Amino acid sequence: MGTVVTTLEAASKALAIAPQRGPCRRVLMASPAHFTVESAINPWMQDDSGALNHVDTVRAAEQWNSLRAAYERIAIRVEVIAAPVGLPDFCFAANQSVALPGKVVISRMATEGRQREVPYFEHWYRAHGFEPIPVPRNIERFEGTGDAIAHPGKSLFWGGVGPRTAAGAWEFFSSAVDVDVIPLKLVDERFYHLDTCLCLLDNYSALYVPAAFDDASRGLIESAFSRLHAVSDADAANFACNAHCPDGRHVLIQQGSAQTVAWVKQAGFVPIELDTSEFMKSGGSVFCLKQELP
Ligand code: ARG
């Protein structure tokens, strides 16, 4: 049975004994057809005067298509779920679920508006052979792979605890899907999902925003990864940590994070720089726009 791991010693043991997990060969992306910014549910969605960001829908579609093509070029198959009208954040397919072999944990979104996205995803998963596992009622919020980040190559998760996912969600998740989880406490509202401040590249390598975590959580990350890059403030605000390394080699990342990209290259990875600027107006980039499928 999976457990929630909180000490350095227990985390290193959990990592050492975690079962192997195969590479990502397939992702689910959600159509950006009705993507817009209608209300600010995170700090990135409005400008300094408090006005909501304006999305250019044509550019958003182009950027989304380029991301899809980038996955296909590196031999990752892309499945697409159609978007219903009236759900402006639907395209962020990381958040409504965590897909696992044969089953899928269905999120409880922190906001009522986004909760309405969830049944469409549940329907898609059922139709594609996944058995849905609902989050029990007493867990007030759980936002899928926005906060559940799988350790590369291993059946173990790092779990964000913050504005979108409650601490108690990890007790449920670890026992429901029989996997160990190392929770990490998020302390800066700009980094509201774990995928905005931690990007795992391989078993040894990761990008992180040190100030986004409390001391104990930062210590857990620093002891688990021997090649760690502390992302600069500028690159963090450019969503450098919302990159995705699906295969242990290519790193799909928002363009313009020169320092981070230089580090990624010298660490032996191949960066693929993309423009996700329209989605950043809603507080998301590459990692948020897909769900890894087993
Ligand atoms: N506007 C969306 C929200 O605030 C963006 C979600 C981005 N997703 C992510 N995994 N960080 O919910």
Side-chain angles (χ1 to χ4, degrees):
M1 179 159 125
T3 57
V4 173
V5 172
T6 54
T7 66
L8 287 178
E9 212 187 358
S12 97
K13 186 166 165 230
L15 279 162
I17 62 168
Q20 297 296 304
R21 185 172 57 87
C24 168
R25 300 194 196 286
R26 195 161 68 115
V27 295
L28 172 63
M29 290 179 68
S31 163
H34 306 294
F35 168 58
T36 177
V37 169
E38 271 178 11
S39 62
I41 57 171
N42 70 56
W44 306 97
M45 297 175 83
Q46 52 194 11
D47 66 20
D48 292 341
S49 75
L52 290 176
N53 291 332
H54 174 75
V55 172
D56 178 333
T57 25
V58 174
R59 278 191 76 200
E62 286 165 8
Q63 293 176 358
W64 187 94
N65 284 327
S66 299
L67 174 60
R68 176 185 186 162
Y71 277 121
E72 287 170 343
R73 271 199 303 280
I74 58 168
I76 306 276
R77 199 166 116 200
V78 179
E79 311 275 1
V80 178
I81 174 172
V85 181
L87 297 175
D89 278 327
F90 193 82
C91 60
F92 296 108
N95 306 150
Q96 304 85 353
S97 64
V98 181
L100 298 150
K103 54 195 170 190
V104 58
V105 178
I106 300 293
S107 299
R108 166 151 309 118
M109 307 303 284
T111 53
E112 199 276 320
R114 291 211 67 188
Q115 184 56 26
R116 289 186 290 119
E117 300 168 14
V118 172
Y120 295 93
F121 280 84
E122 183 168 347
H123 183 264
W124 188 94
Y125 282 113
R126 272 188 206 283
H128 290 80
F130 292 81
E131 188 205 328
I133 303 174
V135 171
R137 291 201 172 279
N138 62 323
I139 310 287
E140 62 272 32
R141 56 189 194 281
F142 173 75
E143 291 207 353
T145 58
D147 280 312
I149 301 190
H151 190 92
K154 296 195 179 194
S155 188
L156 176 144
F157 280 85
W158 296 81
V161 174
R164 302 302 185 90
T165 298
W170 300 118
E171 302 285 344
F172 153 73
F173 183 86
S174 61
S175 66
V177 303
D178 190 17
V179 69
D180 287 343
V181 178
I182 309 174
L184 299 172
K185 182 103 184 20
L186 305 177
V187 296
D188 180 332
E189 61 161 6
R190 290 175 307 154
F191 303 107
Y192 61 96
H193 273 145
L194 184 58
D195 71 6
T196 62
C197 49
L198 179 68
C199 176
L200 307 183
L201 302 175
D202 67 16
N203 193 30
Y204 313 99
S205 318
L207 312 172
Y208 76 137
V209 181
F213 299 95
D214 73 2
D215 291 345
S217 303
R218 196 179 315 112
L220 286 162
I221 296 168
E222 289 170 354
S223 77
F225 294 91
S226 52
R227 283 201 305 187
L228 254 185
H229 177 62
V231 165
S232 68
D233 290 349
D235 286 2
N238 192 44
F239 285 82
C241 283
N242 203 250
H244 183 211
C245 181
D247 57 2
R249 177 170 159 75
H250 299 96
V251 180
L252 283 67
I253 186 167
Q254 166 61 26
Q255 65 188 22
S257 292
Q259 271 184 20
T260 303
V261 166
W263 185 90
V264 161
K265 274 190 199 153
Q266 69 77 36
F269 297 93
V270 180
I272 299 176
E273 292 188 74
L274 295 156
D275 186 8
T276 62
S277 52
E278 292 304 316
F279 299 96
M280 286 162 58
K281 292 176 179 174
S282 186
S285 179
V286 173
F287 195 92
C288 313
L289 288 167
K290 60 87 198 78
Q291 175 74 215
E292 282 193 16
L293 295 174

